[in-house]
Amino acid sequence: MPELPEVETVAAALRRARVAGKKIRRVVVRCEKLRQPLVAAEMEKLAGRKVDAIRRRAKYLLLELDSGQVLLLHLGMTGTLRLDEQDTAPGRHDHLDLELDDGRILRFRDPRRFGLAVLRRPDENGRIAELAALAPEPLSDAFSGDYLHRISRGRKSPVKNFIMDQRRVVGVGNIYASESLFRAGIRPTLPAGKLSRPRCQRLVEAIRDILSAAIAAGGTTISDFHGVDGSEGAFVRALKVYGREGKPCPECGRPIRKTVLGGRSTFYCPGCQR
DNA sequence: AAATGAACCTGTTTGC
DNA sequence: TGCAAACAGGTTCATT
């Protein structure tokens, strides 16, 4: 569910809601079985800590604490963070509550439990194990046409799988991979190593454009994703191929096709994408 | 090493 | 109508 724009939307909302600077008054853990165990005894030590800053790296959300620790959150497929008013009853899949000193409750909900919530202390170089092998941010200068061209030489996997690999570039998931490739005019099945340098440049620009526009729209809500206030992401209306099998391509009118790559639904226009 | 597929979960939609 | 299968935005592990 949540790709980079959704996580950035959540991070921005938490900043706007002034969560940084608040103290955590109380912690409630209701379910310990996530991607990694959510250890209640450890999380409860967060009581009394202050949130210093909210950051995002790839699809991870980082709450930096005044203890020097970082609460690392990943929303998996169905994770959401909500800021509820005091005394709101928890839902069936609300696994973790952080009650702030102003009474609001930051709630991590995740029905499928592919998400992650762990406390980490960065090493002397400021590094966190889970983040160590991640590729450059797509909106940074490090992600360039030259970079993509260089790392894709000799690679035979479909370019869609390649750009969804978090060791190549982070933040691009199943929706934005299809949308970016449509924008770049590149067929998702094309082996990554066959992309020319100009086409790599075009793809990099397309990824940047799509992700930026999605962030500006507050992300994409298909069914699960919601902002911290429960609002829906408006980028769903801007999708040109994702979830549109059989419907006319907005550019050329030919029917959008669906195929499966790496076990994931993939949408493209057979006319516009070569 | 790189590519592929299955597994981890629950909820919702689809198809017979 | 009812039930089973298919499917869902991510990551990780095992197998070729």
Side-chain angles (χ1 to χ4, degrees):
Chain A
M1 159 224 185
E3 306 181 35
L4 185 151
E6 288 72 36
V7 181
E8 182 60 35
T9 294
V10 170
L14 293 180
R15 289 186 204 107
R16 208 166 42 232
R18 305 253 176 242
V19 168
K22 299 292 186 299
K23 227 178 214 177
I24 298 166
R25 181 198 282 167
R26 201 165 64 96
V27 179
V28 181
V29 174
R30 295 193 190 77
C31 170
E32 305 204 343
K33 284 190 247 170
L34 293 176
R35 192 197 312 170
Q36 281 181 47
L38 209 178
V39 184
E42 209 161 296
M43 285 297 158
E44 283 157 7
K45 288 184 197 155
L46 286 178
R49 297 270 65 83
K50 191 181 72 166
V51 178
D52 274 343
I54 316 260
R55 298 206 307 133
R56 178 195 60 74
R57 170 74 173 109
K59 299 174 192 171
Y60 289 89
L61 195 65
L62 289 75
L63 297 202
E64 297 181 349
L65 305 161
D66 63 354
S67 58
Q69 290 172 299
V70 174
L71 177 58
L72 197 61
L73 295 169
H74 194 292
L75 303 179
M77 289 275 255
T78 51
T80 52
L81 274 183
R82 290 182 70 144
L83 215 38
D84 283 350
E85 296 309 311
Q86 203 166 17
D87 301 329
T88 310
R92 178 148 147 57
H93 299 290
D94 286 336
H95 307 314
L96 173 68
D97 281 3
L98 301 180
E99 185 182 313
L100 307 177
D101 58 1
D102 61 6
R104 293 179 301 173
I105 305 173
L106 185 60
R107 228 161 219 166
F108 179 47
R109 173 186 152 90
D110 186 9
R112 286 179 77 178
R113 307 207 304 264
F114 289 166
L116 180 73
V118 289
L119 268 177
R120 290 288 181 259
R121 187 175 291 282
D123 67 19
E124 60 275 10
N125 301 315
R127 303 230 171 268
I128 295 173
E130 280 84 351
L131 311 181
L134 291 173
E137 286 287 326
L139 301 178
S140 74
D141 291 342
F143 184 57
S144 65
D146 282 348
Y147 166 81
L148 182 59
H149 186 255
R150 177 167 54 77
I151 65 169
S152 59
R153 291 313 85 188
R155 297 322 202 74
K156 294 183 176 139
S157 54
V159 60
K160 174 172 180 260
N161 302 28
F162 195 80
I163 60 172
M164 286 177 67
D165 184 339
Q166 305 296 298
R167 295 166 307 175
R168 317 296 174 200
V169 60
V170 301
V172 181
N174 202 40
I175 295 177
Y176 300 120
S178 279
E179 292 298 314
S180 298
L181 287 163
F182 173 76
R183 185 173 177 96
I186 297 167
R187 185 94 46 135
T189 48
L190 195 73
K194 295 221 158 158
L195 280 180
S196 67
R197 189 179 294 265
R199 298 194 92 197
C200 284
Q201 179 63 38
R202 191 156 177 221
L203 180 53
V204 163
E205 286 167 11
I207 289 172
R208 284 219 185 92
D209 290 349
I210 292 287
L211 295 181
S212 301
I215 291 170
T220 299
T221 297
I222 301 290
S223 62
D224 293 292
F225 174 71
H226 291 276
V228 297
D229 60 354
S231 60
E232 300 200 337
F235 197 74
V236 63
R237 290 190 282 278
L239 298 179
K240 294 191 168 173
V241 292
Y242 184 87
R244 298 181 49 83
E245 181 187 16
K247 293 183 178 162
C249 166
E251 297 297 328
C252 76
R254 287 181 64 173
I256 300 298
R257 280 193 199 157
K258 175 182 169 180
T259 183
V260 175
L261 290 178
R264 319 296 301 278
S265 293
T266 303
F267 302 87
Y268 68 97
C269 170
C272 298
Q273 294 173 262
R274 301 292 174 174

